[in-house]
Amino acid sequence: MKLGEKKRIALVLSGGGIKAAAFHIGVCLALREKGFKFAGGPSPSDKEKFTDSPLTFNTYVGSSAGAVISTFLAAGYSIEAIIDAFTRGAGIESLVQPTDDSSKKDYSLKPLTYRDIFALNVSASDAASLLPNLFKKKPVITGGLEVLLKKGFKMNGIFSAKNLEKYLRKSVFPTNEFKALGADLYVVATQLNHSRKVIFGPFNETTKTKDVKYASYAKVSEAVAASASLPPFFSPYGIVNHRGKKLYFFDGEIRDTLSTHVAADHDADLVISSYSIQPYHYNEEMGSLHEYGIPMICNQALYQVIQQKIERHIKHQSDMRSMLQTVDGYLKQIDLPVDQREKLIEILITKTNFKEETDYIYIHPSPHDYEMFFYDHFSLNPKILNRIVRTGFRSAMATLRQHTI
């Protein structure tokens, strides 16, 4: 596979808090170092600037933190502008120089602060009554610990994504419409009161299947806020649909991890995916996770579940390609007429929804990079962010060396 021959390239960015966002920034820096460009802008006419430009991302798919970075890129902000927003949001002066990318406009992002990310999910009246309610005498509860927790904790999240939505709406997007962006953007969320994954994007109408809804009714800022609402830290985010009904959504990684199929379904022939999740592998210096308490053990358990889902997804793609090649080889061996052989292969591809022309590249931290595992998911500490960005850069460079540009 020669990457420069690909015509429609997509970037898929997963969730994982501020840590994932910093990792994705490092990946983007490495991609640019290798000659990739990032289409985007505040107007649909910006798409024309990249029509014939090779190695250009013109489709972005994002979940949670990945949705934030994807929308910055789709709106035309340079990687330097994104780094600058996080840097100044952490309370220090800008550390980056203006971009030399002539395709990007010279405009900056407002600093992204803790206040923009974490809005307490309580009103003044709620806060006044919260503590007294915890100590009110309650009827005897029958059942085990789970019942006690369900009856005692009625908050639907500690924080709300309403400030993030406000930041995006007022400081990032001139029009706040998917169709107005200079690249194709798809934001993945999960519908709270259903088992369905929801993809917000530049669709003409809302359609759905049993498992997936393609929603046309959300503003960009609303879709990102919904995708970033990670439970139990963030409360589900409500969006009014095309029928006037408010539906609630939360983190886009809940229903499905790494939605590369969204890019392939919209004609991408190369999908580059970045995800920061990598379970801890035993290291002599750090020792066993059982010595670090419940938070680290829970993180490891979550990472293992997510990694299994991603690896199963990657294996499925590999198995499908191998199966089609095996079937095609057997049909040739038995001298089946060419038209019948091609028809059978076409039926298999259609039935399995396999994108034969689409290639995939996956970028993630090394299992031996134990520091990445221990970094805080929601820290704006500039030293930590700088290390995570470097990890993303190294991970991407190591992966890209395996491919011909």
Side-chain angles (χ1 to χ4, degrees):
M1 172 179 61
K2 192 170 183 179
L3 305 186
E5 296 176 351
K6 293 295 183 177
K7 302 299 183 184
R8 188 168 180 82
I9 308 177
L11 183 64
V12 178
L13 304 179
S14 72
I18 297 172
K19 178 163 77 171
F23 183 83
H24 296 326
I25 290 172
V27 169
C28 289
L29 286 169
L31 288 166
R32 193 177 67 184
E33 181 79 10
K34 285 292 188 178
F36 286 88
K37 298 181 178 66
F38 300 88
S43 168
S45 62
D46 288 308
K47 294 181 180 180
E48 299 174 5
K49 301 176 183 177
F50 302 92
T51 302
D52 299 318
S53 182
L55 292 177
T56 298
F57 293 105
N58 41 41
T59 299
Y60 302 96
V61 180
S63 295
S64 194
V68 176
I69 303 301
S70 294
T71 51
F72 286 157
L73 294 171
Y77 292 94
S78 67
I79 303 172
E80 282 79 9
I82 299 171
I83 294 174
D84 187 59
F86 281 97
T87 301
R88 291 188 293 130
I92 62 176
E93 293 185 5
S94 176
L95 299 176
V96 300
Q97 298 297 321
T99 178
D100 58 357
D101 188 346
S102 61
S103 66
K104 296 295 179 184
K105 292 185 177 180
D106 186 19
Y107 61 109
S108 62
L109 280 164
K110 175 187 172 185
L112 183 61
T113 67
Y114 278 117
R115 181 173 293 182
D116 294 316
I117 300 171
F118 302 102
L120 282 176
N121 186 34
V122 289
S123 62
S125 59
D126 291 335
S129 62
L130 181 59
L131 287 177
N133 284 338
L134 290 176
F135 294 100
K136 281 183 179 179
K137 186 175 181 180
K138 295 181 174 63
V140 175
I141 300 174
T142 60
L145 177 62
E146 184 179 355
V147 174
L148 178 64
L149 291 173
K150 286 179 179 178
K151 288 186 176 291
F153 294 90
K154 293 293 186 179
M155 287 186 65
N156 59 14
I158 302 170
F159 304 103
S160 166
K162 63 181 181 181
N163 281 6
L164 177 61
E165 188 280 329
K166 181 180 178 181
Y167 170 87
L168 295 170
R169 172 169 38 89
K170 291 194 170 184
S171 305
V172 178
F173 304 111
T175 62
N176 209 11
E177 300 286 346
F178 281 95
K179 291 183 178 180
L181 296 174
D184 292 332
L185 172 67
Y186 302 95
V187 174
V188 183
T190 306
Q191 192 168 331
L192 175 65
N193 298 307
H194 204 281
S195 58
R196 182 185 290 129
K197 176 168 69 175
V198 181
I199 301 165
F200 296 103
F203 307 114
N204 293 323
E205 60 181 352
T206 296
T207 59
K208 60 186 178 182
T209 65
K210 178 183 177 182
D211 300 317
V212 182
K213 176 190 288 184
Y214 299 89
S216 62
Y217 49 77
K219 301 292 186 182
V220 178
S221 60
E222 294 175 330
V224 176
S227 181
S229 296
L230 171 67
F233 304 106
F234 288 85
S235 61
Y237 192 85
I239 299 176
V240 178
N241 69 5
H242 54 292
R243 296 178 179 175
K245 181 180 180 181
K246 179 175 278 191
L247 301 177
Y248 288 88
F249 305 89
F250 55 6
D251 193 280
E253 301 279 272
I254 299 295
R255 181 62 177 82
D256 195 11
T257 302
L258 211 60
S259 296
T260 55
H261 76 89
V262 178
D265 289 344
H266 291 88
D267 302 323
D269 57 1
L270 175 62
V271 180
I272 298 182
S273 302
S274 169
Y275 62 95
S276 63
I277 300 299
Q278 176 61 56
Y280 172 75
H281 286 207
Y282 182 83
N283 177 276
E284 289 287 348
E285 182 178 350
M286 301 304 296
S288 171
L289 289 180
H290 83 275
E291 300 174 346
Y292 289 88
I294 292 176
M296 289 295 101
I297 295 173
C298 288
N299 276 352
Q300 178 74 343
L302 178 62
Y303 277 24
Q304 288 175 341
V305 170
I306 293 175
Q307 185 197 40
Q308 182 189 42
K309 291 170 67 177
I310 293 174
E311 289 184 346
R312 186 181 299 157
H313 166 72
I314 295 173
K315 186 176 184 301
H316 172 72
Q317 292 173 339
S318 177
D319 289 347
M320 283 300 305
R321 191 175 299 277
S322 177
M323 182 269 290
L324 288 172
Q325 291 173 349
T326 301
V327 171
D328 189 47
Y330 174 73
L331 296 179
K332 289 179 180 177
Q333 183 180 343
I334 64 173
D335 292 327
L336 192 70
V338 174
D339 58 334
Q340 295 183 34
R341 174 167 55 84
E342 291 179 346
K343 184 62 177 178
L344 284 172
I345 295 298
E346 181 184 344
I347 291 172
L348 283 174
I349 291 174
T350 302
K351 290 289 186 181
T352 57
N353 196 33
F354 180 69
K355 308 300 180 182
E356 189 178 19
E357 301 301 321
T358 305
D359 290 303
Y360 300 85
I361 295 176
Y362 298 91
I363 300 171
H364 58 88
S366 165
H368 303 293
D369 191 349
Y370 60 86
E371 289 184 347
M372 184 67 181
F373 176 84
F374 285 96
Y375 288 140
D376 193 322
H377 288 83
F378 297 103
S379 173
L380 280 175
N381 182 300
K383 290 184 178 179
I384 294 177
L385 291 180
N386 182 57
R387 291 173 184 169
I388 298 172
V389 169
R390 289 176 180 273
T391 299
F393 184 88
R394 289 196 308 268
S395 301
M397 292 298 282
T399 299
L400 293 171
R401 287 191 196 103
Q402 304 171 30
H403 301 277
T404 303
I405 302 294

